[in-house]
């Protein structure tokens, strides 16, 4: 396979293209204790400011349960809290080099809610984050609104472009780590 991802039961993992060792799109920590995620989806209640997500990492809510099912070619995470049920399905289509993360949100609270969804990606675009971070360039595609990321200093994969998109529904992007929250 020329594209794929690995994900743990807690929801962390990494995505790669062409070479899982030399062209990681996102970081692989290989730390079973810390298991810091390089990709995450956050849900925020715009009225209360509370933040949580469909996976255990990066925000584990100890008073609620999480469910994960890994199957052939997919992983499904389920978590309900704050009156909201979340179901995250992740997979790579057989014929496309793209990771799909489909988040299904069900309001179980019995009242209208205002939620924001934030997708976080820590780009690597090479072998390790520490060696590639200074060279990663991001830009917004004017046609689709997707964020493009590339590492022109990567000798083997420098012409390749990674991207993140929220089905065209994103209202803001940043490529600056000091702006993330």
């Amino acid at each position: 396979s020329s594209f794929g991802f690995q994900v743990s039961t807690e929801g962390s993992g990494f995505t790669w293209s062409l070479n899982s060792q030399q062209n990681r799109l996102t970081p692989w920590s290989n730390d079973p204790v810390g298991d810091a995620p390089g990709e995450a989806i956050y849900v925020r209640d715009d009225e209360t400011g509370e933040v949580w997500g469909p996976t255990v990492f990066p925000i584990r809510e100890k008073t609620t349960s999480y469910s994960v099912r890994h199957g052939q070619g997919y992983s499904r995470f389920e978590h309900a809290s704050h009156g909201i049920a979340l179901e995250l399905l992740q997979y790579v289509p057989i014929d496309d080099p793209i990771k799909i993360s489909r988040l299904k949100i069900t309001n179980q609270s019995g009242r209208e809610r205002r939620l924001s969804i934030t997708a976080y990606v820590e780009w690597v675009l090479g072998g390790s984050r520490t060696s590639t971070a200074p060279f990663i360039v991001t830009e917004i595609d004017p046609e689709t609104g997707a964020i493009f990321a590339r590492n022109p200093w990567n000798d083997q994969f420098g012409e390749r472009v990674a991207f993140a998109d929220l089905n065209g529904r994103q209202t803001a992007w940043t490529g600056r780590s000091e702006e993330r929250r």
Side-chain angles (χ1 to χ4, degrees):
S1 178
S2 64
F3 187 89
F5 72 97
Q6 177 272 328
V7 65
S8 71
T9 57
E10 288 81 13
S12 64
F14 76 105
T15 304
W16 55 272
S17 177
L18 297 178
N19 185 315
S20 62
Q21 183 182 23
Q22 297 302 315
N23 197 36
R24 295 179 185 134
L25 303 183
T26 59
W28 178 49
S29 71
N30 196 23
D31 181 352
V33 177
D35 202 16
E39 306 174 32
I41 294 177
Y42 299 95
V43 176
R44 180 180 185 271
D45 185 316
D46 292 340
E47 295 170 2
T48 67
E50 294 174 301
V51 179
W52 69 99
T55 58
V56 171
F57 287 152
I59 301 173
R60 179 183 195 129
E61 295 184 303
K62 295 181 181 182
T63 59
T64 59
S65 64
Y66 295 80
S67 171
V68 62
R69 290 188 302 273
H70 300 290
Q72 189 168 345
Y74 75 92
S75 291
R76 183 183 314 272
F77 300 88
E78 295 176 353
H79 176 63
S81 66
H82 307 274
I84 302 292
L86 302 173
E87 179 185 306
L88 175 64
L89 174 66
Q90 295 184 318
Y91 64 97
V92 173
I94 293 173
D95 297 330
D96 277 328
I98 184 172
K99 178 181 176 183
I100 305 287
S101 294
R102 187 188 74 200
L103 181 64
K104 180 179 176 183
I105 303 169
T106 305
N107 184 354
Q108 300 176 327
S109 69
R111 62 183 177 86
E112 188 174 308
R113 305 291 291 275
R114 289 191 59 228
L115 305 174
S116 297
I117 308 302
T118 299
Y120 168 78
V121 176
E122 184 176 335
W123 296 115
V124 173
L125 307 181
S128 73
R129 176 76 175 139
T130 53
S131 63
T132 62
F135 308 109
I136 294 174
V137 177
T138 58
E139 65 182 300
I140 305 300
D141 178 44
E143 186 176 327
T144 64
I147 190 166
F148 289 168
R150 59 188 176 85
N151 178 0
W153 292 96
N154 185 323
D155 291 337
Q156 194 173 5
F157 305 104
E159 297 297 317
R160 299 185 68 83
V161 176
F163 71 93
D165 187 30
L166 295 176
N167 201 25
R169 297 182 178 182
Q170 59 274 4
T171 57
W173 288 112
T174 184
R176 300 179 59 188
S177 60
E178 62 271 10
E179 291 182 24
R180 65 181 174 194
R181 291 179 198 233

